[in-house]
Amino acid sequence: MIDQRLLPGEYREVSFSSYVQVAEAIQQMVVRGAPAIGASAAYGMALAAYTSTASDILAFKDEMFKAREVLLRARPTAANLTWAIDRMLQVFENSEPGNIDDLRQTMLEQAQLIADQDVQINKEMASHGAKLMGDNETVIHHCNTGALATVDWGTALGVIRMAHEQGKNPHVLVDETRPRLQGARLTAWELEQYGISYEIITDNAAGFFLSSGIIDRVLVGADRVAANGDVANKIGTYMLALAARDNQVPFFVVSPTSTVDLSLQDGNQIPIEERDPGEVLRIQFLGARVAPEGARARNPAFDVTPHRLITGIVTENGVVYPPFEVHLRQAVIAGEH
Amino acid sequence: MIDQRLLPGEYREVSFSSYVQVAEAIQQMVVRGAPAIGASAAYGMALAAYTSTASDILAFKDEMFKAREVLLRARPTAANLTWAIDRMLQVFENSEPGNIDDLRQTMLEQAQLIADQDVQINKEMASHGAKLMGDNETVIHHCNTGALATVDWGTALGVIRMAHEQGKNPHVLVDETRPRLQGARLTAWELEQYGISYEIITDNAAGFFLSSGIIDRVLVGADRVAANGDVANKIGTYMLALAARDNQVPFFVVSPTSTVDLSLQDGNQIPIEERDPGEVLRIQFLGARVAPEGARARNPAFDVTPHRLITGIVTENGVVYPPFEVHLRQAVIAGEH
């Protein structure tokens, strides 16, 4: 993994040899972004398989389900975590279990497949999304949804990247995304490398630019999408969606169907992770304290944007429009054929 | 002045001996907050008077109007700056101009009067505002509107302070207020000293808490209020107002009538200051860079909240409700009698 906590100051790749380390890396946000978390958890499961000392299939299966619990606990909101892990555990459902070495091999191949498919799915989403965009659009983007948040290419940022490659010359206002500054640190770092025009803004300035009439579109990713189209995404997405709606600016979510959780009727049922208050009280990765000694903080990592504020959801199976309750299910099923 | 750039890490009082230094202090935000800026500019004018070497009244008056221009340029949005300076220049309108020494004396007395009245006005607003509040309310507050933003006591924070002194036990969710972190640094510092319960949140988390149903009220200050009740205030206020409205949470602006600019029909006419992008790219007062080298940023310091999102405006002459176009003018005139 690239240690995303250190960017843009330092580029460092890190390796792990156990699923517990992978779970810690997910929890501490060495790796982040729903699709990247999913793929990392898949490799975590493969590591669990290869480091297992179980001598029979039943004991091995027990260990794999124990690993599942440890990895799931790392981040409660991202749907891709459950999705990827449960896809890894399908080895126990398919036909003959075979021997442990076969299962290990199958699980590693499955993890590699999840990673490879993620890149392909991202490019399909980017292609659908870029069709929506005209020339010279100014787009507001929240958090980081680029190559760093996925296996490669990106979701919302992938759409912008595709539009850029198509010569559409997008300009991005990058929400800095407090508290961890994924926009100012990671998205800006990616855009620098792609040669895409951008300016960083504070999250609370998005409303100013939306009401000024210069914004053509808002593009965000997702951490979990409920069956009715309510979207849990990085904290601040809801306020951004409100400001887009108040100014009639199209608001699109770019998210693979692996992020859709059809088991949840609406966004109220999505568990919202609350992280260490220290992320608010200090500036992450600088370690410097901004608040007075003794200060307390709250730090919800996500919020829920009601589907009524969302123009469309770009998936690898096409752009989904309201009524989301009907069309989202169709898009998910389309991918299962 | 207290150098507000250094808090909460360091408490340092600084003195100035020329109006140019005062203008610089306002521009660099050694002092900030519309009422505090107004009073500071008044003393700046008094300094201009006492440091003037003019030998006749006409030359003296020219110098005072030159000082006016320099001070006005320091921050374009805050109405109190114009208001206070023009009140200082009324010495040239009243009766006989007298001699220069008399004018100096009158101007110093006027500055002291502006400062003293600010404290009194703040307490009147606090009294009106606190009547709106019930016991154990949880309030979201943006930026800093306390004693530091005024001569003493505070506007929006003054209301909370009054409710606290009345035993109403308010709890404050303090918007950290990027980019300069006036909430996390200054408001938290004040609340610590008053013994008022609070937690800091990132600005983009306000929507999460508003939609969770735990917020009773949003209280903010103002930098300029147009005749129709549109309010220019610290960047982020508009998005906060949208989130309050979307969840039917009362949104009150607390602002002296000196912040009301009846010469402007609506908020579109309010000049919005855009500050140094470095405030976004670096963490202010730590000097540490968060964005990659070469990154650009936009940094509007204020936004305009349309009057349709505002429940009421608390002034020293009472709480003003819609239609603001009618009632705001009445409140301003009430103070002139």
Side-chain angles (χ1 to χ4, degrees), chain B residues 298-321:
Chain B
R298 293 285 305 270
N299 185 22
F302 305 95
D303 59 25
V304 172
T305 299
H307 62 87
R308 65 185 151 86
L309 300 175
I310 297 167
T311 310
I313 301 176
V314 181
T315 76
E316 71 274 26
N317 301 321
V319 183
V320 176
Y321 291 100

Side-chain angles (χ1 to χ4, degrees), chain B residues 60-327:
Chain B
F60 178 78
K61 187 173 172 179
D62 274 357
E63 283 189 28
M64 293 309 102
F65 275 83
K66 190 185 145 218
R68 175 184 191 272
E69 292 313 305
V70 171
L71 284 161
L72 275 186
R73 264 201 304 276
R75 301 289 310 269
T77 305
N80 306 59
L81 192 56
T82 322
W83 172 85
I85 293 170
D86 288 351
R87 206 169 131 179
M88 293 294 288
L89 292 173
Q90 281 173 3
V91 288
F92 295 109
E93 293 164 22
N94 297 340
S95 63
E96 291 294 298
N99 64 42
I100 292 177
D101 272 341
D102 288 347
L103 287 173
R104 287 186 174 117
Q105 178 65 23
T106 309
M107 285 175 75
L108 180 58
E109 284 166 7
Q110 184 66 275
Q112 284 164 340
L113 186 65
I114 286 172
D116 291 345
Q117 285 181 340
D118 188 70
V119 183
Q120 183 192 328
I121 285 168
N122 274 238
K123 293 208 170 163
E124 285 164 6
M125 286 192 291
S127 172
H128 294 307
K131 279 191 199 120
L132 301 169
M133 291 181 65
D135 287 340
N136 306 309
E137 285 200 3
T138 297
V139 176
I140 293 183
H141 174 273
H142 195 61
C143 198
N144 172 265
T145 65
L148 288 168
T150 57
V151 176
D152 196 3
W153 197 261
T155 58
L157 207 62
V159 169
I160 293 166
R161 205 170 154 184
M162 185 69 82
H164 170 70
E165 295 212 345
Q166 292 171 352
K168 289 183 173 171
N169 192 34
H171 178 72
V172 189
L173 289 192
V174 176
D175 267 4
E176 64 174 0
T177 318
R178 281 285 288 151
R180 296 183 67 104
L181 298 166
Q182 291 94 332
R185 297 193 298 112
L186 308 178
T187 299
W189 183 76
E190 285 198 44
L191 291 173
E192 280 287 335
Q193 291 176 64
Y194 308 147
I196 298 174
S197 164
Y198 74 93
E199 291 161 310
I200 299 168
I201 60 173
T202 57
D203 305 316
N204 61 19
F208 171 87
F209 291 104
L210 283 160
S211 66
S212 75
I214 65 165
I215 308 298
D216 299 292
R217 193 177 304 279
V218 177
L219 290 172
V220 300
D223 289 83
R224 193 183 302 213
V225 182
N228 71 342
D230 289 354
V231 168
N233 189 45
K234 180 50 58 195
I235 191 77
T237 304
Y238 166 49
M239 294 176 85
L240 180 57
L242 283 171
R245 173 55 53 97
D246 200 46
N247 295 284
Q248 294 90 48
V249 173
F251 182 93
F252 281 90
V253 174
V254 186
S255 145
T257 57
S258 53
T259 306
V260 180
D261 183 350
L262 291 176
S263 77
L264 302 186
Q265 219 169 0
D266 61 49
N268 290 325
Q269 300 172 299
I270 300 174
I272 300 295
E273 174 185 10
E274 187 147 349
R275 295 182 61 84
D276 179 2
E279 294 185 349
V280 177
L281 298 171
R282 295 178 196 83
I283 298 298
Q284 203 61 31
F285 93 100
L286 297 175
R289 191 175 182 85
V290 290
E293 287 300 322
R296 292 154 296 281
R298 293 285 305 270
N299 185 22
F302 305 95
D303 59 25
V304 172
T305 299
H307 62 87
R308 65 185 151 86
L309 300 175
I310 297 167
T311 310
I313 301 176
V314 181
T315 76
E316 71 274 26
N317 301 321
V319 183
V320 176
Y321 291 100
F324 291 117
E325 203 145 67
V326 178
H327 294 154

Side-chain angles (χ1 to χ4, degrees), chain A residues 176 178 184 192 198-200 203-204 207 209 235-236 238-239 242 246-247 286 288 290-292 295-298 308, chain B residues 176 178 184-185 198-200 203-204 207 209 235-236 238-239 242 246-247 286 288 291-292 294-298 308:
Chain A
E176 64 172 1
R178 280 284 289 154
E192 280 286 337
Y198 74 92
E199 291 162 309
I200 300 168
D203 305 316
N204 61 20
F209 290 104
I235 192 76
Y238 166 50
M239 294 175 85
L242 283 170
D246 200 46
N247 296 284
L286 298 174
V290 290
R296 291 154 298 283
R298 293 286 304 272
R308 66 184 151 87
Chain B
E176 64 174 0
R178 281 285 288 151
R185 297 193 298 112
Y198 74 93
E199 291 161 310
I200 299 168
D203 305 316
N204 61 19
F209 291 104
I235 191 77
Y238 166 49
M239 294 176 85
L242 283 171
D246 200 46
N247 295 284
L286 297 175
R296 292 154 296 281
R298 293 285 305 270
R308 65 185 151 86

Side-chain angles (χ1 to χ4, degrees), chain A residues 81-275:
Chain A
L81 193 56
T82 322
W83 173 85
I85 293 170
D86 288 351
R87 206 170 129 179
M88 293 294 288
L89 292 173
Q90 281 172 3
V91 288
F92 296 109
E93 293 164 21
N94 296 342
S95 63
E96 290 295 297
N99 64 41
I100 292 177
D101 272 342
D102 288 347
L103 287 173
R104 285 186 174 117
Q105 179 64 23
T106 310
M107 285 175 74
L108 180 57
E109 285 166 8
Q110 183 67 273
Q112 282 163 340
L113 186 66
I114 286 172
D116 291 345
Q117 284 181 339
D118 188 70
V119 183
Q120 183 191 328
I121 285 167
N122 274 237
K123 292 207 172 164
E124 286 165 6
M125 286 191 293
S127 174
H128 294 307
K131 278 191 200 120
L132 301 169
M133 291 180 65
D135 287 341
N136 305 311
E137 284 201 3
T138 297
V139 176
I140 293 183
H141 174 273
H142 194 61
C143 197
N144 172 265
T145 65
L148 289 168
T150 57
V151 175
D152 196 2
W153 196 260
T155 59
L157 208 61
V159 169
I160 293 165
R161 206 170 153 184
M162 184 69 82
H164 171 69
E165 295 211 345
Q166 293 173 350
K168 288 183 173 172
N169 191 33
H171 178 72
V172 189
L173 290 192
V174 176
D175 267 4
E176 64 172 1
T177 318
R178 280 284 289 154
R180 296 182 68 102
L181 299 166
Q182 290 95 333
R185 297 195 297 113
L186 308 178
T187 298
W189 184 77
E190 287 198 42
L191 291 173
E192 280 286 337
Q193 292 176 62
Y194 308 147
I196 298 173
S197 163
Y198 74 92
E199 291 162 309
I200 300 168
I201 60 172
T202 57
D203 305 316
N204 61 20
F208 171 86
F209 290 104
L210 282 160
S211 66
S212 76
I214 65 163
I215 308 298
D216 299 291
R217 193 177 305 278
V218 177
L219 290 172
V220 300
D223 289 83
R224 194 182 303 214
V225 182
N228 71 342
D230 289 354
V231 168
N233 189 46
K234 178 52 55 194
I235 192 76
T237 304
Y238 166 50
M239 294 175 85
L240 181 55
L242 283 170
R245 174 55 53 98
D246 200 46
N247 296 284
Q248 295 91 49
V249 173
F251 182 94
F252 282 91
V253 174
V254 186
S255 144
T257 57
S258 54
T259 307
V260 180
D261 183 351
L262 292 176
S263 77
L264 301 185
Q265 221 170 0
D266 63 47
N268 290 325
Q269 299 172 301
I270 300 174
I272 300 295
E273 175 186 10
E274 186 148 349
R275 295 183 61 83

